[in-house]
Amino acid sequence: MNRHRFADSAALHAAAAQRIAALAAASIAARGAFHIALSGGNTPRGLHAQLATLADIDWPAWHIWFGDERCVPPDHPDSNYHMARETLLDRVPIPAAHIHPMIPNAQITPPEAARAYARQLREQAPQHHARPALDLILLGLGPDGHTASLFPGTSILDDREHDVAEVYVARLSAWRVSLTYPVIENARDVLFLVDGSGKADILHRLEHGPAEGATPLPVERLKPRAGYEWYIAEPAPPPPAP
Ligand SMILES: O=C(O)[C@H](O)[C@@H](O)[C@H](O)[C@H](O)COP(=O)(O)O
């Protein structure tokens, strides 16, 4: 595991922002554009705030995609797109045509959104081996080993046909739309951002491997072509008892 540890969230966000800016500059220099999929949840908020303050970023060359989305209207407080707009997209000059929300309106159904997003990726993203190949996909990690909306026990884990799929997550009683394993694995780079609070167990398992015979967790089934980087904020272990 290509792992970078940080003492706190602020250090994680600052370092990850610099890494992303470097990947963007290299992609733009080589191919004239930078196609990045943002992740959802809370951890990206601090990263986005850091990115928005960086100088010398060629924002008009960025193309914003999403790794997954909650099936709520784009202005809903739970929407990853809404969060990205608030914390980054409304603060930097990325052309509107380069921003691709997974749920563009309140009327679209999960299957329609998945099909439409797959079409957009095929038409507007770089391709590699006949699959969309984004330059960078950011991913978070849930304590149960989910990433994007690849949740344990869900149908999407076995879907290697589609690029994007809708998935009902029973434990959340909610529909999601997510990139599938083939598209995530096809990216040039995959960067995990893990704010370790409450994730010590899952991080320990990823570092030391699952127990004998354990069912692989969604994140353990991911095999990116370029490997992946982990940026982890792990609070310092508690001081030894006196
Ligand atoms: O839409 C989502 O919620 C995310 O895509 C999800 O996969 C998230 O990245 C993890 O649950 C970690 O979330 P935190 O970073 O908030 O812990």
Side-chain angles (χ1 to χ4, degrees):
M1 288 174 80
N2 182 354
R3 177 196 295 266
H4 307 263
R5 291 181 188 280
F6 301 92
D8 56 38
S9 303
L12 163 68
H13 297 146
Q18 291 298 332
R19 176 67 178 140
I20 293 165
L23 288 169
S27 177
I28 293 164
R31 295 177 294 279
F34 178 55
H35 290 259
I36 177 175
L38 302 180
S39 62
N42 297 314
T43 300
R45 289 179 173 274
L47 166 68
H48 294 173
Q50 284 287 325
L51 282 171
T53 64
L54 294 183
D56 304 327
I57 302 289
D58 186 359
W59 292 114
W62 286 46
H63 295 252
I64 301 296
W65 302 87
F66 289 83
D68 73 324
E69 185 56 279
R70 294 89 181 276
C71 292
V72 295
D75 59 355
H76 190 284
D78 289 349
S79 161
N80 290 331
Y81 168 71
H82 177 73
M83 179 269 288
R85 286 225 74 107
E86 271 189 333
T87 56
L88 176 61
L89 304 181
D90 287 350
R91 300 167 59 188
V92 295
I94 298 175
H98 289 189
I99 298 175
H100 307 278
M102 273 186 164
I103 305 292
N105 59 62
Q107 293 71 39
I108 198 167
T109 66
E112 288 167 346
R115 283 196 298 274
Y117 213 67
R119 196 164 46 248
Q120 272 190 66
L121 281 165
R122 290 287 168 138
E123 291 169 357
Q124 301 182 49
Q127 308 293 304
H128 173 75
H129 289 170
R131 285 269 190 193
L134 299 179
D135 295 302
L136 174 61
I137 294 181
L138 301 181
L139 291 173
L141 177 68
D144 61 354
H146 83 261
T147 190
S149 284
L150 305 173
F151 282 86
T154 60
S155 56
I156 196 172
L157 298 184
D158 299 316
D159 184 345
R160 301 194 74 88
E161 176 194 351
H162 302 99
D163 295 335
V164 187
E166 72 279 4
V167 54
Y168 184 73
V169 186
R171 52 168 285 215
L172 302 176
S173 304
W175 281 94
R176 295 279 189 100
V177 173
S178 181
L179 300 182
T180 58
Y181 279 115
V183 171
I184 297 173
E185 292 171 346
N186 206 35
R188 284 179 179 272
D189 283 286
V190 172
L191 175 55
F192 275 92
L193 298 171
V194 184
D195 189 335
S197 49
K199 299 178 185 175
D201 292 348
I202 183 68
L203 287 169
H204 181 274
R205 170 165 168 161
L206 292 176
E207 186 155 11
H208 301 285
E212 187 71 30
T215 302
L217 298 172
V219 69
E220 291 170 327
R221 295 170 59 172
L222 199 58
K223 303 282 181 280
R225 64 175 163 135
Y228 35 51
E229 296 178 73
W230 291 82
Y231 277 54
I232 301 170
E234 277 185 314

